[in-house]
Amino acid sequence: MEPRAYRFRVVNAANQRFFELFLNLAKDPIQVPSLVNVQQIGGDGGLLPSRVALHKLLLAPGERADLLVDFSGYAGKTVTLSNGAAAPFRAGTWCTPIMPRCTS
């Protein structure tokens, strides 16, 4: 890749799997991740009103995202796309008006 900005259009084509995507500079999978900055510019509803800076992107099945990544500061380095979501995915503790009891 050239050390410049790129636009990525990402879609989760899995039928049940969630993905927590991030760009990682760590050279070994057991190292603590060194995350690359990403800017989300769009999603399922089209372009966002302004860019959103993030390190990780959570995608549900069928969800799309438009991303900008500037690789100009990473010339000569290896950047790896990684997934941090567990399978099966558990979002944590949640409550709804229909189900007043919280689950975890």
Side-chain angles (χ1 to χ4, degrees), residues 12-74:
N12 180 353
N15 63 353
Q16 291 184 334
R17 177 83 192 239
F18 281 72
F19 291 99
E20 183 185 45
L21 302 177
F22 57 95
L23 294 172
N24 187 5
L25 288 172
K27 294 183 180 179
D28 191 333
I30 61 171
Q31 287 180 327
V32 175
S34 175
L35 304 178
V36 173
N37 291 325
V38 175
Q39 294 182 359
Q40 184 172 3
I41 61 168
D44 286 328
L47 293 176
L48 300 175
S50 62
R51 298 176 181 186
V52 177
L54 45 93
H55 289 291
K56 295 183 178 183
L57 174 70
L58 181 64
L59 283 176
E63 191 174 7
R64 297 171 293 182
D66 284 328
L67 307 174
L68 289 179
V69 183
D70 187 2
F71 291 101
S72 61
Y74 305 104

